């Protein structure tokens, strides 16, 4: 059974002891058996000896039963469809999906209807978030008005209104001069520019990866070069402008090579990968049809091998889902006409943990990609770390629990996922935001 709670109670004087936990903090390398104490919304203490002589009276006890207790996970790329397409997802359902996935912080993309391109629209969104969100919810603002790629937004005032960074995701910024100006402005503001890297002229309306499968199905393909051309161009611009450039949902071996070279040169570039891009190849389209259609598309084993190498050597900093809810009408059509994207929040953790179970990364290395490394990309160093005085955003998870993913049971309003009756290992048992449980499963 799953239960959800809005984190809106007054817990000023409430203390909670999380005992019998395996405490993992990837930021410091901590991995010990011990306990953690929260006081109100904050982490008050943690360590191996804490409560070794018992928990004093007046403190609530949550027995973690040897599960992992780690910093709350972040998903730094989600589409909650607010404003404009609340029939696909809204703040309440999107953040419930996050909580169920062990995620305590999400970052929404700006390609809503209307787009998040003015301080007023962003302020309205944050009002809705304040009432409805089960987890911490931030938003990117658009780089250009209407994400049309022509006219820069008022980035300074969007920053004051709470933008976490800037992105036209859904679309790339195609014009090099506009991109240069955006990067210059973001650098001045100390903010990240996040690119959906795709040369749309080269993609030419393609719907899946260009290769054997697109030829077999006789549909138009999107070549790897579509992504790599924009990443290479943007890295040249980054040399001109300075600042922090981030590649969203990287998918090709060429783009990963480009990021690796740029990092070696000392450029401030980061990138993230979505779990589906290292679990599935474009062959999944044969079985899952439109549920395996996303942008960037599923690629080939060669690209997966490059992603795994990139995750291992640090070229790829973070894992983020590109959670993209769509209703049936958007997906129950021909492959060429279907909307791009799949939901991801409730499958991020088990899919990422495949990296651990397949011995590609250690457990702490996997969690790093969804905790402090993700927090650093959005310039929020207070998130994703176990630190006394920080907000008690925590995830309790069982990395070895076997379960079957069933999209019909998702809290997300949309069920578009290729991971149907997919056997996975590992899941969140309890999710805590600012010291309050927002989600729990029966076990703890
Ligand atoms: Zn995108």
């Amino acid at each position: 059974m799953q239960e959800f709670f809005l984190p809106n109670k007054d817990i000023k004087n409430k203390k909670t002891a999380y005992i019998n936990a395996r405490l993992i903090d990837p930021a410091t390398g901590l991995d010990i058996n011990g306990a953690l104490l929260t006081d109100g919304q904050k982490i008050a203490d943690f360590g191996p000896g804490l409560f070794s002589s018992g928990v004093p009276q007046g403190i609530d006890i949550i027995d973690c039963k040897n599960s992992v207790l780690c910093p709350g996970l972040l998903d730094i790329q989600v589409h909650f469809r607010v404003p404009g397409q609340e029939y696909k997802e809204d703040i309440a359902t999107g953040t419930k999906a996050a909580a169920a996935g062990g995620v305590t912080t999400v970052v929404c993309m700006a390609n809503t209807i209307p787009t998040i391109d003015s301080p007023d629209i962003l302020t309205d969104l944050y009002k809705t978030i304040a009432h409805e969100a089960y987890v911490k919810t931030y938003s990117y603002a658009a780089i250009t008005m209407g994400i049309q790629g022509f006219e820069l937004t008022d980035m300074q005032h969007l920053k004051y209104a709470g933008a976490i960074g800037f992105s036209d995701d859904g679309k790339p910024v195609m014009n090099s001069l506009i991109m240069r100006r955006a990067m210059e402005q973001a650098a001045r503001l100390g903010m990240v520019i996040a690119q959906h890297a795709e040369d749309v002229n080269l993609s030419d309306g393609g719907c899946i990866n260009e290769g054997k499968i697109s030829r077999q199905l006789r549909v138009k393909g999107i070549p790897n070069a579509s992504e790599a051309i924009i990443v290479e161009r943007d890295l040249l611009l980054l040399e001109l402008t300075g600042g922090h450039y981030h590649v969203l949902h990287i998918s090709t071996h060429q783009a990963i090579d480009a990021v690796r070279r740029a990092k070696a040169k000392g450029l401030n570039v980061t990138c993230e990968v979505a779990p589906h891009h290292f679990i599935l190849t474009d062959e999944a389209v044969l079985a899952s049809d439109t549920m395996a259609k996303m942008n960037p598309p599923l690629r080939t084993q060669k690209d997966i091998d490059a992603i795994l190498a990139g995750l291992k050597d640090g070229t790829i900093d973070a894992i983020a889902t590109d959670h993209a809810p769509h209703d049936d009408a958007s997906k129950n059509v021909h492959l060429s006409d279907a909307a791009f994207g799949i939901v991801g929040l409730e499958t991020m953790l088990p899919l990422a943990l495949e990296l651990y179970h397949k011995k590609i990364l250690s457990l702490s290395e996997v969690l790093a990609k969804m905790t402090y490394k993700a927090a650093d990309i959005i310039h929020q160093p207070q998130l994703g770390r176990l630190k006394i005085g920080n907000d008690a955003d925590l995830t309790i998870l069982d990395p070895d629990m076997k379960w079957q993913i069933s999209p019909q049971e998702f809290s997300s309003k949309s069920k578009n996922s290729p991971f149907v009756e997919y056997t996975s290992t590992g899941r969140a048992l309890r999710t805590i935001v600012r010291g309050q449980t927002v989600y729990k499963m029966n076990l703890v």
Side-chain angles (χ1 to χ4, degrees), residues 40-257:
Q41 301 189 347
K42 305 292 182 184
I43 296 174
D45 202 359
F46 60 89
L50 189 63
F51 305 126
S52 52
S53 51
V55 179
Q57 283 215 328
I59 298 179
D60 288 355
I61 297 174
I62 291 172
D63 188 345
C64 299
K65 297 177 181 157
N66 303 314
S67 301
V68 169
L69 175 59
C70 67
L73 308 182
L74 290 87
D75 185 351
I76 57 171
Q77 200 201 150
V78 305
H79 298 268
F80 281 173
R81 311 302 188 199
V82 180
Q85 289 181 296
E86 286 86 351
Y87 61 95
K88 293 185 175 183
E89 193 79 287
D90 59 36
I91 298 299
T93 58
T95 54
K96 277 172 104 167
V103 173
T104 58
T105 296
V106 292
V107 183
C108 300
M109 307 313 288
N111 62 335
T112 48
I113 305 170
T115 51
I116 311 293
D117 60 6
S118 80
D120 286 350
I121 296 171
L122 182 56
T123 301
D124 282 349
L125 174 62
Y126 277 128
K127 278 183 196 157
T128 307
I129 287 167
H131 286 112
E132 296 183 11
Y134 286 78
V135 306
K136 290 182 176 172
T137 305
Y138 297 102
S139 183
Y140 275 101
I143 297 169
T144 65
M145 297 305 293
I147 61 167
Q148 295 297 306
F150 300 116
E151 183 194 346
L152 289 187
T153 54
D154 181 348
M155 293 164 83
Q156 183 162 355
H157 284 97
L158 284 162
K159 177 184 179 177
Y160 297 154
I164 205 82
F166 299 97
S167 180
D168 273 3
D169 182 50
K171 290 183 182 171
V173 178
M174 283 297 295
N175 182 306
S176 304
L177 178 60
I178 299 282
M179 189 60 179
R180 176 187 183 169
R181 295 286 177 248
M183 288 165 93
E184 285 169 345
Q185 177 69 347
R188 268 195 292 273
L189 296 170
M191 308 272 283
V192 60
I193 284 271
Q195 177 75 292
H196 167 111
E198 179 187 9
D199 184 324
V200 289
N201 300 315
L202 184 60
S203 290
D204 192 26
C207 73
I208 63 170
N209 183 52
E210 180 175 307
K212 200 175 85 192
I213 306 297
S214 68
R215 286 191 289 277
Q216 185 181 332
L217 297 174
R218 296 173 193 276
V219 293
K220 208 180 255 185
I222 301 172
N224 277 26
S226 260
E227 177 175 275
I229 284 170
I230 295 298
V231 171
E232 293 276 17
R233 180 207 67 175
D234 288 350
L235 291 170
L236 290 167
L237 293 175
L238 185 62
E239 282 193 66
L240 285 177
T241 64
H244 175 197
Y245 169 72
H246 178 68
V247 185
L248 300 161
H249 46 48
I250 203 162
S251 69
T252 62
H253 66 93
Q254 296 96 327
I256 293 164
D257 279 347

Side-chain angles (χ1 to χ4, degrees), residues 258-311:
V259 170
R260 184 179 289 113
R261 275 185 272 115
K263 284 190 171 190
K265 271 197 221 171
L267 293 179
N268 187 6
V269 53
T270 52
C271 66
E272 70 189 35
V273 65
H276 47 263
H277 282 125
F278 58 78
I279 304 264
L280 302 173
T281 67
D282 57 354
E283 299 211 357
V285 178
L286 297 176
S288 302
D289 193 38
T290 62
M291 292 303 182
K293 178 180 176 182
M294 63 286 286
N295 193 359
L298 298 172
R299 303 290 188 178
T300 64
Q301 189 59 45
K302 181 171 183 179
D303 298 298
I304 291 184
D305 292 343
I307 290 168
L308 298 180
L311 283 163

